[in-house]
Amino acid sequence: TDINAGANLEERKAIFGLIGDIYITVEGGPGVSEEARVAHARGAVVVPLGRTGGASSGMFDFPVGALQRPCFSTEEQWTLLASKDASVEESAAALIAIVEKACIDASVTKETPAAAARRMRSGWGKEVRIVCVLGGTEFRGIDSEALVKTIAPQLEAAMGSSAIFVTGGMAGVQETFAKHCGDGSRVWNLLPMGQSSGYGRGTDINAGANLEERKAIFGLIGDIYITVEGGPGVSEEA
């Protein structure tokens, strides 16, 4: 069924970038990258079939975040999307599995921030104190990084099983804290749907359709917030 919207191609592109929950990209040039950037920026899931090359392999300023493995894909599945050595059938099966799992997980993006916060707090238990960590995406103070590396393991040891630690999955202060907070078993990294921290430490959890919704949820879940450095974004969340 053909449907029409927009007076011209640019308006149609703008509409196309706003309607979808999941976008699959195959090959593509600058136009595909542009539409993928719009979709990814608002929190939609973008699944690039990297083996086909072009924009889908990262060219033409394709959104970097969309090239990172999301939480609803296994390492093997994500590798099969990009591998030219895999059979067509293997890559196709991997893409289908990823999209199916993304559709299931996408149901939480319909939650309000308050509902998402209640759901997560309930899952962690009433007795657990939730310590959230905020900070800049790069260190500027001469002692800031050393302080975070010192505080993280000592705080984890002091709080023990009575607390969990939540980051926003960002580089800088939050990543450093997560990587030095014990064995990472009590660290949770909260990100918008379809995104992953890439820390290799702690457990990534997804809530909120985009960064603004994730920020709102982050501001509702914690009992204690630790801030290190930071700019307007940190001040807003604090």
Side-chain angles (χ1 to χ4, degrees), residues 7 17 28 33 36 40-41 53 57 75 87 95 116 169 178 225:
S33 283
H40 186 261
S57 66
E75 290 280 3
S87 69
L95 186 141
Y225 289 78

Side-chain angles (χ1 to χ4, degrees), residues 30-52:
V32 168
S33 283
E34 179 185 356
E35 293 186 86
R37 286 196 302 273
V38 171
H40 186 261
R42 69 172 179 82
V45 174
V46 178
V47 183
L49 195 55
R51 65 178 289 163
T52 61

Side-chain angles (χ1 to χ4, degrees), residues 1-235:
T1 302
D2 289 350
I3 52 174
N4 299 95
N8 51 46
L9 180 59
E10 290 307 310
E11 287 190 6
R12 196 281 295 161
K13 283 183 178 179
I15 295 165
F16 193 81
L18 294 170
I19 60 174
D21 297 308
I22 301 169
Y23 291 77
I24 299 168
T25 70
V26 180
E27 298 184 357
V32 168
S33 283
E34 179 185 356
E35 293 186 86
R37 286 196 302 273
V38 171
H40 186 261
R42 69 172 179 82
V45 174
V46 178
V47 183
L49 195 55
R51 65 178 289 163
T52 61
S56 298
S57 66
M59 297 175 64
F60 308 113
D61 201 23
F62 195 83
V64 175
L67 298 171
Q68 298 175 352
R69 181 180 66 85
C71 61
F72 45 78
S73 170
T74 66
E75 290 280 3
E76 180 183 9
Q77 289 168 344
W78 202 247
T79 298
L80 286 170
L81 295 187
S83 176
K84 293 184 178 181
D85 294 328
S87 69
V88 168
E89 290 76 15
E90 287 174 323
S91 295
L95 186 141
I96 291 167
I98 291 168
V99 171
E100 287 179 334
K101 185 62 165 61
C103 287
I104 294 170
D105 287 358
S107 64
V108 303
T109 66
K110 307 304 180 184
E111 294 178 304
T112 65
R118 285 194 299 270
R119 172 176 58 82
M120 286 185 286
R121 288 190 64 102
S122 175
W124 286 323
K126 294 181 179 179
E127 303 304 317
V128 173
R129 298 299 90 189
I130 300 169
V131 181
C132 295
V133 180
L134 286 164
T137 55
E138 60 182 43
F139 290 102
R140 298 184 183 279
I142 190 170
D143 295 327
S144 299
E145 185 172 5
L147 278 167
V148 173
K149 289 180 177 180
T150 300
I151 290 168
Q154 293 188 22
L155 186 61
E156 193 271 345
M159 299 293 288
S161 61
S162 67
I164 64 167
F165 303 91
V166 182
T167 81
M170 306 292 283
V173 170
Q174 294 178 332
E175 181 174 11
T176 300
F177 186 95
K179 288 183 174 180
H180 290 82
C181 188
D183 62 2
S185 62
R186 304 197 67 75
V187 175
W188 299 79
N189 308 308
L190 176 62
L191 301 111
M193 289 303 302
Q195 297 185 27
S196 58
S197 69
Y199 289 175
R201 182 65 67 94
T203 301
D204 286 358
I205 50 174
N206 297 93
N210 51 46
L211 181 59
E212 290 307 310
E213 288 190 7
R214 195 281 292 161
K215 284 183 177 180
I217 296 164
F218 194 82
L220 292 169
I221 60 173
D223 298 304
I224 301 166
Y225 289 78
I226 299 171
T227 69
V228 181
E229 297 188 358
V234 169
S235 288

